[in-house]
């Protein structure tokens, strides 16, 4: 929770500035960084099972 509180106000900028964010933007995927920065937007949690992402069971 403390880590989240540290970046909550600047999440899009923080993700864009991190190494993976810079790599994605340089590779032409700035929207992927923007989507990753969206909070409280998804109703599903993806889980990787047998090399396929599925929605987590509730």
């Amino acid at each position: 929770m403390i880590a989240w509180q540290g970046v909550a106000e600047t999440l899009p900028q923080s993700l864009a500035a991190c190494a993976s964010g810079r790599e994605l933007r340089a590779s032409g995927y700035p929207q992927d960084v923007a989507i990753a920065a969206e909070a409280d937007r998804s109703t599903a949690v993806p889980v990787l099972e047998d090399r396929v992402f599925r929605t987590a069971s509730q």
Side-chain angles (χ1 to χ4, degrees), residues 9-33:
E9 295 296 319
T10 60
L11 185 59
Q13 299 89 341
S14 295
L15 287 179
C18 77
S20 294
R22 291 191 313 266
E23 182 180 350
L24 282 168
R25 289 184 302 116
S27 298
Y29 299 99
Q31 281 304 107
D32 287 11
V33 180

Side-chain angles (χ1 to χ4, degrees):
M1 187 66 159
I2 292 174
W4 167 251
Q5 291 171 343
V7 297
E9 295 296 319
T10 60
L11 185 59
Q13 299 89 341
S14 295
L15 287 179
C18 77
S20 294
R22 291 191 313 266
E23 182 180 350
L24 282 168
R25 289 184 302 116
S27 298
Y29 299 99
Q31 281 304 107
D32 287 11
V33 180
I35 290 169
E38 294 177 353
D40 296 327
R41 296 289 299 208
S42 181
T43 59
V45 175
V47 175
L48 184 61
E49 293 177 350
D50 299 323
R51 297 168 49 145
V52 175
F53 281 106
R54 303 187 192 322
T55 302
S57 301
Q58 293 189 18

